[in-house]
Amino acid sequence: MGTTWSVKAVVPDGHQAEDVRTGFTLLLDGIDREMSQWRPESDLTRFNQAPAGTWVPLPSQLRKVLAAGLDLARLTDGAYDPTIGALTDLWGFGPPGPIRCRPGAAAIQAAQARSGFARVRLDPASGAAFQPGGIQLDLCGIAKGYAVDVVSEALTARGLTNHLVEIGGELRGAGIKPDRTPWWVRLEEPPGSERPATVVALHGLAVATSGDYRRVLSCEGERHGHTLDPRTGVPLSNGPLVATVLHAACLVADVAATALMVLGLADGLAFAERHRLAARVITRAADNQAHEYTSSIFKRMLS
C-alpha cells in the first residue's frame, strides 16, 4: 500500500516468531494484490480498467471492503467516497505522480464525472461489481484500516491475544504487554504543536488519524494536502488540522477520520455525536494556536 507496517506481539510457547511474521506478511501481500491502485495486475486495477457496462468479478476481500466503503459513503453523505481515483490522480496523489500546475475547472469536472459511489453496484449473488464506465476506485482511505483488523484478528485466532498492529499510522491493540501494562499509544498531533500529549490504552480498541500534513504537494506556489472533498473535487483549504477516531474496528476509524476532515469542525462533531463515535478534531484558530474539540464519547473515555 506504499506505506510501512509493524506488529508487536507476545509470542507464547509453542509458536515460532518467524512463522507468525510469515503468516501476517502473506495476509498483507494478499490484500495489496487485491486493493492496490499502484499495482497494474491488482484486482482493483482490473475493475478500474474494465469496459463500461460490465460486471467485474471481485475476490472476497476486495468485495468486502468495497461494500463497506459504499455503505460508509452513504452514511457520510459522500464526505468519504471510495470512487475518487480519477480525482486523486488529477491532483497528483495517485500512481501517475505529482503535478506541476493546478488542474483547471474543466479537468476537475471531468474527473468528478468519473466518480460517484452511487454509480457502483454490487451483486451479492455473483460477487461482481458493476463498472458504469470510467469509475476509478481508490481504497487508500479504508484498506489500511481493514488490513489492521485482519492482522489483529488473525493473531487472535492463532492464540496471540496480546498484540499491537500498526499500518501507516493506524493502530489496533489487544490484550496487554509482557509487563502487564496496556498498549499505550500517543495520539498524533499536528507538526509544531506544543500541546500536552494525549495517551490512550488500546485494549480491544483501534485508532486512526487523518491530517493534511502527512502528504502535501506544492503547485504554483500553493500547498495542497492529500485530503480531497469528493463533493467539490478539490483539496481541503480551511479544514481541520487533524481528526482522530477511536473505535473497535480500525476500518471504521480509518474512514471516519477522513470523513471528519471533510465535514469540518461543526458538521464533523455533529456526525460523531449522531453515530456515537469517540472523536477528536484539532483546528488552528485566528490566534494561530491549535484548539482541540472532542465528542462526548471521547470525553467519557478519557475521564
Side-chain angles (χ1 to χ4, degrees):
M1 302 179 199
T3 189
T4 60
W5 57 263
S6 67
V7 175
K8 296 180 180 180
V10 181
V11 182
D13 293 340
H15 291 77
Q16 295 296 321
E18 193 56 41
D19 291 341
V20 175
R21 180 195 301 272
T22 299
F24 59 68
T25 299
L26 290 173
L27 279 175
L28 291 174
D29 286 345
I31 293 170
D32 199 53
R33 282 195 300 272
E34 291 189 23
M35 305 181 202
S36 174
Q37 65 206 84
W38 279 268
R39 297 178 71 144
E41 77 285 3
S42 74
D43 295 287
L44 181 143
T45 301
R46 181 168 53 84
F47 174 86
N48 287 350
Q49 295 176 349
T54 57
W55 285 90
V56 183
L58 302 180
S60 60
Q61 294 192 105
L62 176 55
R63 185 169 66 249
K64 181 178 180 179
V65 171
L66 179 57
L70 295 175
D71 286 344
L72 290 164
R74 286 186 283 269
L75 194 67
T76 62
D77 292 326
Y80 166 77
D81 190 336
T83 70
I84 61 168
L87 282 166
T88 304
D89 290 350
L90 181 68
W91 285 97
F93 294 106
I99 57 175
R100 294 185 177 180
C101 58
R102 180 186 176 91
I108 294 171
Q109 289 179 345
Q112 282 190 291
R114 298 174 60 195
S115 308
F117 65 91
R119 299 177 60 211
V120 178
R121 288 179 284 155
L122 289 173
D123 179 15
S126 67
F130 181 70
Q131 169 59 276
I135 284 287
Q136 301 292 292
L137 298 179
D138 178 351
L139 301 181
C140 289
I142 191 171
K144 287 187 299 180
Y146 171 77
V148 168
D149 289 334
V150 167
V151 172
S152 176
E153 290 160 9
L155 288 167
T156 297
R158 293 188 59 172
L160 284 77
T161 55
N162 301 296
H163 59 260
L164 180 69
V165 180
E166 179 269 337
I167 300 178
E170 325 299 12
L171 302 103
R172 175 167 161 171
I176 56 177
K177 295 189 287 186
D179 62 4
R180 307 196 66 78
T181 60
W183 299 101
W184 291 106
V185 172
R186 178 180 297 188
L187 297 187
E188 200 168 318
E189 298 284 343
S193 173
E194 297 180 357
R195 293 167 23 82
T198 300
V199 182
V200 298
L202 294 188
H203 182 75
L205 198 62
V207 60
T209 296
S210 182
D212 263 5
Y213 50 84
R214 284 184 167 184
R215 293 179 63 199
V216 178
L217 286 180
S218 295
C219 176
E220 297 180 329
E222 296 181 351
R223 287 169 56 83
H224 302 295
H226 76 283
T227 303
L228 302 176
D229 187 338
R231 304 164 302 179
T232 63
V234 301
L236 300 181
S237 56
N238 294 305
L241 294 173
V242 181
T244 298
V245 175
L246 296 161
H247 196 275
C250 197
L251 179 151
V252 174
D254 198 3
V255 170
T258 299
L260 293 184
M261 291 286 292
V262 174
L263 289 169
L265 177 60
D267 289 345
L269 286 180
F271 177 86
E273 293 293 343
R274 193 161 59 248
H275 297 285
R276 298 184 58 78
L277 293 173
R280 180 187 75 153
V281 178
I282 298 177
T283 65
R284 192 175 301 284
D287 60 5
N288 206 36
Q289 297 297 310
H291 293 262
E292 177 185 88
Y293 303 86
T294 60
S295 68
S296 56
I297 297 289
F298 189 95
K299 288 186 178 74
R300 286 203 293 272
M301 291 181 69
L302 294 183
S303 63

